[in-house]
Amino acid sequence: MSTGKPRGGDFQMVPAPGTSKPPLPPAAASNAIVEYTPVSLKEEEEDLEVKLRRIIDNVPVRVSNTSGSSAGSGSGDFHQYRQMRRKEQDRLARMEVDYQKRKELAEFNLRREERLKAAEERTAKKRAKRQKKKQRKKEKKTKLNAGEQLQEKEDSSGDEDSDNDEEAAP
């Protein structure tokens, strides 16, 4: 029966946040079979190492109620297994819902942009049509005014001639 306390074999080694490299063992007092020697990394590998460290530092590490390979086999541990399974299923469901929301939002924004673009094109087309019609009306009015002025000039020059003729006739 489980007391809820971790046993000696239930602990898991996790790097502490903020540590960048494993500590170096003392060189003189080393009786280890394999000694740690720093390896010079290529620039690309250093970039990957930096990225990996940043990810490890920023991602929270959650280790709670870890179980061995026989998880769920004991009757006392079943409730812990079931709880961990339920939490994981909830986490996956939340991730799926979040993914669906982001996907729908992206699709909505895409459709919205397409609609706005189409509306803008229609507006521009109608605006050009109105401007063209206005320009034609203005040209027609200018043409009529120019024609009336020519006619007035002809009439006025013709009237002056006819007035002079009338005065000379009596």
Side-chain angles (χ1 to χ4, degrees):
M1 185 161 148
S2 174
T3 59
K5 296 179 183 176
R7 292 182 295 240
D10 288 345
F11 287 108
Q12 196 173 27
M13 295 294 288
V14 178
T19 59
S20 60
K21 289 186 178 180
L24 293 173
S30 176
N31 58 0
I33 298 172
V34 177
E35 291 187 15
Y36 178 81
T37 56
V39 178
S40 62
L41 299 174
K42 295 179 184 175
E43 188 175 317
E44 297 170 355
E45 292 173 347
E46 287 178 5
D47 290 343
L48 292 175
E49 182 105 8
V50 169
K51 288 179 184 178
L52 181 62
R53 282 198 192 115
R54 189 178 324 122
I55 289 171
I56 289 173
D57 291 343
N58 292 331
V59 174
V61 177
R62 291 185 286 162
V63 179
S64 60
N65 293 333
T66 58
S67 299
S69 61
S70 60
S73 62
S75 62
D77 292 333
F78 179 69
H79 66 283
Q80 289 178 349
Y81 164 75
R82 190 172 58 184
Q83 182 183 16
M84 287 189 303
R85 184 172 177 269
R86 181 178 50 81
K87 284 183 180 179
E88 181 66 13
Q89 293 295 329
D90 290 345
R91 186 181 73 86
L92 292 175
R94 283 193 310 271
M95 285 173 53
E96 182 66 26
V97 167
D98 184 46
Y99 171 74
Q100 289 297 332
K101 282 182 183 178
R102 282 187 278 133
K103 184 178 175 184
E104 289 173 2
L105 184 63
E107 289 174 357
F108 169 76
N109 286 334
L110 183 65
R111 288 192 314 265
R112 181 173 180 260
E113 290 296 323
E114 289 174 357
R115 286 194 308 265
L116 288 174
K117 187 177 178 182
E120 183 64 32
E121 288 174 0
R122 286 192 308 266
T123 305
K125 186 177 179 182
K126 289 181 180 180
R127 181 185 310 119
K129 189 175 179 181
R130 282 193 310 270
Q131 299 250 340
K132 192 174 179 183
K133 184 177 178 182
K134 186 177 179 182
Q135 185 68 26
R136 276 188 271 140
K137 187 175 180 182
K138 190 175 181 181
E139 288 174 1
K140 186 177 179 183
K141 189 175 184 181
T142 308
K143 200 178 211 183
L144 286 176
N145 286 343
E148 287 178 3
Q149 287 176 355
L150 283 175
Q151 194 175 28
E152 286 177 6
K153 284 183 182 178
E154 290 175 3
D155 288 344
S156 63
S157 59
D159 288 340
E160 290 175 4
D161 292 338
S162 60
D163 288 337
N164 290 338
D165 293 339
E166 290 175 6
E167 291 174 6

